[in-house]
Each structure stands twice: as C-alpha cells, then as structure tokens.
Amino acid sequence: MMKTSGYRVSPTEVEEVLYATKLVGECVAFGVDHDTLGQVIQVIATAPDSSDALDVPALLAQCKLHMPAYMVPHGVTPARGPLPRNPNGKLDRKLLSTQWLERQA
C-alpha cells in the first residue's frame, strides 16, 4: 500500500489502469517518500512492443482521464523489458523500487 495525499492506494490499482490503456507492456507502481504528500506514485514501465519507445506523455494523459488526481503517477520511468521477476514469477517491485531510488541518489 502507498499513502499519498491522505489516501491509501494499492499499487495494483494503479497498474490495472495503466494496463487498460494498452500503452504499456509491463509496469510496476510503488511509493516514494515526499515531504508534503507522504508519498508520491512512481511507475517503471515498458512499451507494449519492445521495438517501440514508451509514450510517457500519452500515458500520463490517459491516467489523468481515468484516475482520480491523487492516483496519477508523479513520474514514469521507461525501461527496456522484460522487467525482473521474483522467484514466484511476479514482477519484482521491491528490486525495481530499490534500483530506482539508488539511481536518484
């Protein structure tokens, strides 16, 4: 769970909307600490087709149409797929968020 602007948001909720846009191949949403909002939502996503580039402005525009403002990602980081998976075969949210935070330091 992420807590942003006083709302509890499930990463899965955000990811479902992103997948529904058909503008991402794979995606992971996670919370990043923020001074005033508690957390902001960050997304790492791949393009739907590995030969294409992720259209971040179009993706964020779709998010603004289909999500309440507090759920719209603060940032989207494009990645080349496939995204790493944990031993259970699920996308490794913890690894991706840790790597993202390390790159921001």
Side-chain angles (χ1 to χ4, degrees):
M1 271 307 188
M2 303 174 285
K3 189 162 185 182
T4 182
S5 300
Y7 296 93
R8 289 195 183 277
V9 179
S10 164
T12 306
E13 253 184 302
V14 175
E15 293 162 4
E16 286 173 355
V17 174
L18 296 173
Y19 284 124
T21 68
K22 307 254 192 256
L23 295 173
V24 299
E26 293 182 312
C27 65
V28 170
F30 53 92
V32 176
D33 291 338
H34 188 273
D35 292 338
T36 55
L37 300 175
Q39 290 185 315
V40 291
I41 299 169
Q42 179 65 39
V43 171
I44 297 175
T46 64
D49 182 346
S50 61
S51 64
D52 294 336
L54 183 65
D55 189 347
V56 174
L59 182 59
L60 288 173
Q62 286 297 307
C63 288
K64 289 175 185 173
L65 286 174
H66 300 287
M67 293 177 169
Y70 65 88
M71 278 181 61
V72 173
H74 181 74
V76 176
T77 303
R80 296 243 178 239
L83 296 179
R85 295 183 179 275
N86 64 25
N88 296 332
K90 296 180 179 180
L91 290 174
D92 198 335
R93 183 183 323 278
K94 186 166 180 78
L95 173 66
L96 287 164
S97 65
T98 301
Q99 289 175 342
W100 186 90
L101 287 168
E102 288 171 355
R103 285 192 301 268
Q104 305 310 305

